[in-house]
Amino acid sequence: MPVDVSEMLIIGVSTRALFNLEDENQLFLSEGIHSYSDYQQAHENDILAPGSAFPLIKNLLQLNKGRDKRIVEVVVMSRNSPETGIRVFNSIEHYQLDISRVALTGGQPLAPYMSAFHIDLFLSKDVEDVQNIINNGACAAAIVYDPPDNFNADNKQVKIAFDADAVLFSDESEYRYKTKGMAAFHEFEKANEDLPLDAGPFAGLIRKLSRLQKLYPPDECPIRVSIVTSRSAPAHMRVIKTLRSWGVNVDEAYFMGGFSKEQTLINFGAHIFFDDQDIHLKESSKFVPSGKVPYRSDSRMNQANVNNKQEKS
């Protein structure tokens, strides 16, 4: 019987994002697939340590408890073969993660399978896979950083934080800031505050999260969403009005105006934070799980960044 996915959040997660497989990945890179395969089979009963995406995935799956219909599905997606995936299956069972769907492509790219599994968000440590997914617009996708030390997750809620431009919204405004400066950016955003921003790669995800939130009484919702952006007044109004036009109400919003984001993310207790800029993610990832949202390969932001580097050199 076909599954109704319209009101279901479906997360695709790579094995390296869900579990800590960095030593094994280094073995694969240095000695090849045969050594990697032999090692995984020899250690298939050794339980893997949690990876960056583990706290988010664990808490998301708990949203299904006590409900007549599942509202979250997680699909483990990997270029592993079925043989080398046994260690991952054993670790999923050990941690009692309610995951039944798996895609093991035996070395083939994962991007073509996003639509087959109706993925809303894909989390991975593989830059190529994430870039391909962003390029073809299949779903939201992010490259997860290494897990932070001593991250203590709130097990009663799911807390997701987003940057604004080039994540929830298109990169148009960020490009204007990069190429024309802050004054021109603020002037344009103020003049166009009633014109909704174009959707970015994570617009569909925040809309889906907003629909799930409405399944709960407002004072009992276990899903909490925050925006943590470098924007500040007067550019904040366009963000709020755009979300309103989408029918999305975020729980918290922080317009940092260039201040660092990590303390705000710690206070919020983010299970994951999505941003497009390494300058923010390098710090935030020390304290909360973090994921980079790459620009499309043909994005003008890539060229703008190249030009900025050349001007500074």
Side-chain angles (χ1 to χ4, degrees), residues 185-195 234 238:
F185 165 77
H186 275 152
E187 181 180 354
F188 186 88
E189 294 302 297
K190 176 62 177 175
N192 292 275
E193 69 174 52
D194 293 323
L195 179 66
R238 196 176 182 197

Side-chain angles (χ1 to χ4, degrees), residues 27 36 55 97 125 161 194 251:
L27 177 65
Y36 171 80
L97 299 177
K125 299 199 77 171
D194 293 323
D251 300 288

Side-chain angles (χ1 to χ4, degrees), residues 264-288:
T264 296
L265 293 164
I266 294 168
N267 293 341
F268 175 62
H271 288 92
I272 197 160
F273 169 56
F274 297 110
D275 202 306
D276 62 301
Q277 297 188 55
D278 287 312
I279 192 171
H280 299 304
L281 291 163
K282 285 178 180 177
E283 291 304 311
S284 70
S285 64
K286 297 175 184 177
F287 305 99
V288 301

Side-chain angles (χ1 to χ4, degrees), residues 306-313:
V306 169
N307 293 340
N308 285 341
K309 288 178 181 177
Q310 289 174 344
E311 290 172 4
K312 292 176 181 178
S313 62

Side-chain angles (χ1 to χ4, degrees), residues 226-228 254 256 260-270:
S226 174
I227 291 178
V228 183
Y254 301 95
M256 306 299 296
S260 59
K261 300 180 179 182
E262 58 268 18
Q263 189 59 55
T264 296
L265 293 164
I266 294 168
N267 293 341
F268 175 62

Side-chain angles (χ1 to χ4, degrees), residues 152-217:
N152 295 315
D154 179 347
N155 292 321
K156 296 180 180 179
Q157 289 186 308
V158 176
K159 297 181 178 182
I160 302 177
F162 299 91
D163 181 35
D165 295 294
V167 178
L168 292 178
F169 312 122
S170 76
D171 59 14
E172 177 187 358
S173 294
E174 189 161 327
Y175 181 77
R176 180 171 290 104
Y177 162 67
K178 286 276 188 180
T179 56
K180 297 185 177 181
M182 182 67 77
F185 165 77
H186 275 152
E187 181 180 354
F188 186 88
E189 294 302 297
K190 176 62 177 175
N192 292 275
E193 69 174 52
D194 293 323
L195 179 66
L197 289 151
D198 289 337
F202 277 61
L205 177 61
I206 199 170
R207 286 173 171 139
K208 180 67 74 75
L209 288 169
S210 183
R211 291 202 294 274
L212 294 189
Q213 286 180 311
K214 292 170 184 175
L215 299 176
Y216 296 90

Side-chain angles (χ1 to χ4, degrees), residues 20-308:
N20 187 338
L21 281 158
E22 295 316 293
D23 289 343
E24 290 80 356
N25 186 59
Q26 287 302 314
L27 177 65
F28 169 75
L29 293 175
S30 62
E31 299 186 23
I33 183 62
H34 295 298
S35 294
Y36 171 80
S37 179
D38 290 345
Y39 181 89
Q40 288 294 71
Q41 290 184 54
H43 293 83
E44 63 185 28
N45 292 316
D46 295 345
I47 301 303
L48 293 162
S52 296
F54 186 94
L56 173 69
I57 296 302
K58 180 181 177 182
N59 280 25
L60 281 171
L61 288 169
Q62 289 177 351
L63 298 179
N64 292 321
K65 292 182 178 179
R67 302 196 66 86
D68 295 333
K69 294 174 60 177
R70 295 175 69 85
I71 61 172
V72 174
E73 284 291 348
V74 173
V75 183
V76 172
M77 312 188 80
S78 171
R79 294 195 189 199
N80 278 341
S81 66
E83 262 184 5
T84 58
I86 290 177
R87 189 179 182 194
V88 172
F89 301 153
N90 288 338
S91 298
I92 289 172
E93 183 177 2
H94 171 81
Y95 291 110
Q96 299 181 330
L97 299 177
D98 184 16
I99 297 173
S100 61
R101 290 179 171 84
V102 180
L104 301 173
T105 67
Q108 297 303 303
L110 294 173
Y113 298 95
M114 296 299 118
S115 59
F117 285 93
H118 307 281
I119 302 299
D120 294 301
L121 168 66
F122 179 63
L123 301 172
S124 177
K125 299 199 77 171
D126 190 291
V127 174
E128 181 181 352
D129 276 331
V130 172
Q131 187 66 65
N132 286 339
I133 291 165
I134 289 291
N135 285 350
N136 65 33
C139 62
I143 306 157
V144 296
Y145 276 61
D146 290 340
D149 295 330
N150 304 317
F151 176 67
N152 295 315
D154 179 347
N155 292 321
K156 296 180 180 179
Q157 289 186 308
V158 176
K159 297 181 178 182
I160 302 177
F162 299 91
D163 181 35
D165 295 294
V167 178
L168 292 178
F169 312 122
S170 76
D171 59 14
E172 177 187 358
S173 294
E174 189 161 327
Y175 181 77
R176 180 171 290 104
Y177 162 67
K178 286 276 188 180
T179 56
K180 297 185 177 181
M182 182 67 77
F185 165 77
H186 275 152
E187 181 180 354
F188 186 88
E189 294 302 297
K190 176 62 177 175
N192 292 275
E193 69 174 52
D194 293 323
L195 179 66
L197 289 151
D198 289 337
F202 277 61
L205 177 61
I206 199 170
R207 286 173 171 139
K208 180 67 74 75
L209 288 169
S210 183
R211 291 202 294 274
L212 294 189
Q213 286 180 311
K214 292 170 184 175
L215 299 176
Y216 296 90
D219 58 345
E220 298 177 12
C221 184
I223 305 168
R224 199 159 183 87
V225 175
S226 174
I227 291 178
V228 183
T229 172
S230 293
R231 282 184 179 239
S232 60
H236 63 314
M237 292 297 289
R238 196 176 182 197
V239 168
I240 296 169
K241 291 183 177 182
T242 297
L243 293 173
R244 180 191 294 169
S245 75
W246 292 356
V248 171
N249 295 313
V250 297
D251 300 288
E252 304 177 30
Y254 301 95
F255 298 92
M256 306 299 296
F259 285 1
S260 59
K261 300 180 179 182
E262 58 268 18
Q263 189 59 55
T264 296
L265 293 164
I266 294 168
N267 293 341
F268 175 62
H271 288 92
I272 197 160
F273 169 56
F274 297 110
D275 202 306
D276 62 301
Q277 297 188 55
D278 287 312
I279 192 171
H280 299 304
L281 291 163
K282 285 178 180 177
E283 291 304 311
S284 70
S285 64
K286 297 175 184 177
F287 305 99
V288 301
S290 301
K292 181 179 181 179
V293 182
Y295 306 122
R296 288 173 59 100
S297 295
D298 60 0
S299 169
R300 54 191 175 179
M301 279 300 301
N302 286 325
Q303 186 58 51
N305 286 335
V306 169
N307 293 340
N308 285 341

